[in-house]
């Protein structure tokens, strides 16, 4: 079972890390530079594409790391999978409590008729800071999972 689960976890974690790292390189700088109406349009576009896939990748990483921590053949590998699971859990928590609510709210807005108080409540800076945190946590989880895989080889 471990021979099949480890590659699956590394794949799911790698997909999540790649998307989030890519967001830091291109998506976020674009969103930060746009005027409010274009930001709302672009953010809603991105969120509707990433939201279906990212939960599967992040939850798959978390569940897979937990299972691997239970069945790991030695303490060093077990510890790495526990750390990977913890990093994935924090990423999921940030996603659910900080980023997803903003994504859902932005998708309800009409870019041509923004609320009068939008400038005062512009969510992008808070969203961007939390997105950076979860991006680096997911990349770190990938490094930890790769280290566990290396120990297994």
């Amino acid at each position: 079972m471990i021979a099949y689960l480890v590659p699956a976890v590394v794949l799911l974690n790698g997909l999540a890390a790649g998307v989030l790292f890519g967001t830091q390189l291109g998506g976020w700088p674009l969103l930060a530079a746009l005027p409010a109406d274009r930001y709302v349009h672009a953010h809603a576009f991105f969120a509707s594409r990433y939201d279906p896939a990212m939960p599967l990748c992040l939850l798959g990483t978390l569940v897979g790391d937990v299972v691997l921590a239970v069945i790991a053949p030695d303490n060093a590998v077990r510890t790495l999978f526990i750390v990977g699971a913890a990093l994935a859990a924090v990423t999921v928590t940030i996603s659910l409590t900080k980023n997803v609510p903003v994504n859902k709210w932005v998708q309800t807005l009409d870019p041509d008729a923004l609320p009068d108080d939008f400038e005062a409540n512009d969510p992008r800076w808070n969203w961007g800071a939390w997105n950076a945190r979860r991006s680096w946590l997911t990349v770190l989880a990938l490094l930890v999972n790769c280290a566990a895989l290396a120990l297994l080889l």
Side-chain angles (χ1 to χ4, degrees), residues 61 116 118 133:
T61 299
D116 292 335
F118 183 83
R133 290 178 185 109

Side-chain angles (χ1 to χ4, degrees), residues 65 69 76-89 137 140-141 144-145:
D65 273 336
V77 174
R78 180 175 296 107
T79 299
L80 288 170
F81 286 130
I82 290 169
V83 171
L87 292 166
L137 288 167
L140 184 56
V144 169
N145 281 321

